[in-house]
Amino acid sequence: MKALVLAGGTGSRLRPFTHSGTKQLLPIANKPVLFYGLESIAAAGITEVGLVVGDYADDIRRAVGAGGCAFGLDITYISQSRPLGLAHAVSLARDFLGDDDFLVYLGDNYLEDGVRDFVAHATLHPAAARLLVTSVPDPSAFGVAEVEDTGRVTRVEEKPACPRSDLALIGVYAFSPALHEAVRAIRPSARGELEITHAIQWLIADGQDVRAETTSSVWRDTGSVDDMLEVNRHVLDGLSGRLDGKVDPDSVVVGRVVLGEGAVVRGSRIIGPVLIGPGSVISNAFIGPYTSIGAACRVHDSSIETSVLLDRAAVECAGRIERSFIGRDAVVSAPRFPYAHRLVLGDHSKVQLHP
């Protein structure tokens, strides 16, 4: 089995970050979300991966590497000039996929348990299509599957106004080569995209075997800042503490804290779980639980909790900050206020807060 990882989307809900980079490289616990998926695929025993990339192809190549050796994968890059749907991405990868069965994985997915079991079931029990689904409170925001007790899928629908099931497609699929015929047979939807749900429905209408597998694993599509913060919180819950940097005698570190090599903590209080990247400097500050701080950041005379700071961000004299996502090279500075700020700042931003 091969894998097709889709990393060409625009990420409109994560603007302004996606004006200057791709959403798949935004970090969860200081590691790009795309890496979690690639590691999961490697752990499932798949080695040949087609990585569909768009405008930020060069950024992804630099991060992942030309051949994916760091992940134990053989990666082929496939260019998609415009994000015209999941089925469109499959059509672009036709030569790479050949006549092999294949996994499709959305590159901005976080799935705690990975895809090892899903791939194993798909290999042992072949079907034209196998879908990974989960129960959600608002299925109208997703592709939805109607599934019999036997696991056979009778219908799929893209973002239905009146869902007939609460089982959402979560962006992990296993297909036989039969999908290629289905992709050729469908036409663009009203939004101008070749929908993977339409291709799956074509397989069902053609009488082919389409199956669903339900997962209770923690899952997010990380499509918004709130999703990113929630997944970051979840991953940090499993953190093991390690202090590779320096903590001065006037500082207090409590709980599970990872302090990267070359990082320095002076006159500060840190309550884990907290992750601080290499080369960062924390001075006269409070860093509260569920905060990830990237490499070479500066936090001075400020309080930060349940937030993410990307590499080289600086927060100085900014009072209390909560549930914020601050981009690379962004600078936040202000007099101390008696209330909290919530910030969503793109790369290279500069914000000055005044009374």
Side-chain angles (χ1 to χ4, degrees):
M1 180 178 286
K2 293 177 179 175
L4 188 66
V5 178
L6 309 187
T10 57
S12 58
R13 289 184 295 154
L14 278 166
R15 291 171 181 160
F17 302 101
T18 49
H19 284 310
S20 54
T22 178
K23 61 181 178 177
Q24 290 84 9
L25 294 183
L26 289 174
I28 296 171
N30 287 2
K31 180 167 68 175
V33 61
L34 175 63
F35 287 14
Y36 290 90
L38 295 177
E39 290 169 353
S40 165
I41 288 166
I46 297 174
T47 57
E48 292 184 76
V49 175
L51 187 51
V52 179
V53 293
D55 291 343
Y56 295 102
D58 290 343
D59 292 346
I60 291 178
R61 285 175 184 268
R62 280 192 294 270
V64 174
C69 296
F71 298 92
L73 300 171
D74 179 8
I75 292 181
T76 299
Y77 289 92
I78 300 165
S79 179
Q80 185 181 35
S81 59
R82 293 174 58 200
L84 296 176
L86 306 191
H88 177 256
V90 171
S91 71
L92 294 175
R94 182 67 182 90
D95 289 343
F96 165 77
L97 295 170
D99 293 325
D100 293 306
D101 292 345
F102 59 100
L103 178 81
V104 171
Y105 188 100
L106 299 190
D108 58 352
N109 259 0
Y110 173 81
L111 185 63
E112 181 182 36
D113 293 341
V115 296
R116 185 200 299 263
D117 289 347
F118 180 74
V119 169
H121 294 163
T123 303
L124 288 173
H125 307 287
R130 183 173 292 272
L131 323 175
L132 195 58
V133 299
T134 194
S135 177
V136 296
D138 181 17
S140 64
F142 304 92
V144 175
E146 295 178 45
V147 184
E148 295 180 340
D149 292 341
T150 61
R152 189 174 74 89
V153 179
T154 59
R155 179 183 174 90
V156 292
E157 193 172 2
E158 184 66 27
K159 298 180 180 177
C162 299
R164 298 196 285 188
S165 163
D166 68 348
L167 295 176
L169 309 179
I170 67 171
V172 179
Y173 314 86
F175 294 113
S176 78
L179 185 73
H180 299 304
E181 183 181 4
V183 170
R184 288 193 298 270
I186 64 174
R187 295 294 176 263
S189 65
R191 59 179 183 172
E193 297 187 1
L194 285 179
E195 309 284 358
I196 199 71
T197 47
H198 291 181
I200 295 168
Q201 186 61 39
W202 188 94
L203 291 173
I204 294 170
D206 194 51
Q208 302 204 41
D209 190 22
V210 176
R211 298 278 163 175
E213 187 171 320
T214 304
T215 180
S216 57
S217 173
V218 173
W219 162 75
R220 288 288 190 282
D221 70 355
T222 67
S224 70
V225 168
D226 285 338
D227 289 330
M228 295 291 296
L229 291 174
E230 183 59 32
V231 176
N232 190 71
R233 179 186 181 97
H234 177 76
V235 174
L236 289 185
D237 258 332
L239 196 68
S240 298
R242 189 184 71 251
L243 301 179
D244 294 331
K246 295 181 179 180
V247 180
D248 77 356
D250 296 325
S251 297
V252 176
V253 176
V254 179
R256 292 166 289 124
V257 175
V258 171
L259 187 64
E261 186 175 349
V264 176
V265 178
R266 303 190 189 101
S268 299
R269 181 176 178 85
I270 303 176
I271 308 296
V274 165
L275 178 59
I276 299 173
S280 289
V281 177
I282 313 298
S283 59
N284 301 322
F286 171 78
I287 309 297
Y290 303 110
T291 299
S292 293
I293 295 174
C297 292
R298 302 190 315 278
V299 180
H300 172 71
D301 198 21
S302 305
S303 172
I304 300 177
E305 188 170 343
T306 319
S307 296
V308 173
L309 275 66
L310 275 60
D311 293 350
R312 302 176 301 281
V315 178
E316 301 176 348
C317 305
R320 184 178 175 188
I321 293 174
E322 294 180 345
R323 293 193 59 78
S324 298
F325 204 97
I326 299 175
R328 296 173 182 84
D329 299 294
V331 176
V332 182
S333 63
R336 185 179 296 280
F337 296 140
Y339 53 82
H341 309 292
R342 184 172 189 239
L343 305 171
V344 178
L345 300 180
D347 298 348
H348 308 289
S349 301
K350 185 172 183 179
V351 173
Q352 293 183 336
L353 304 173
H354 300 285

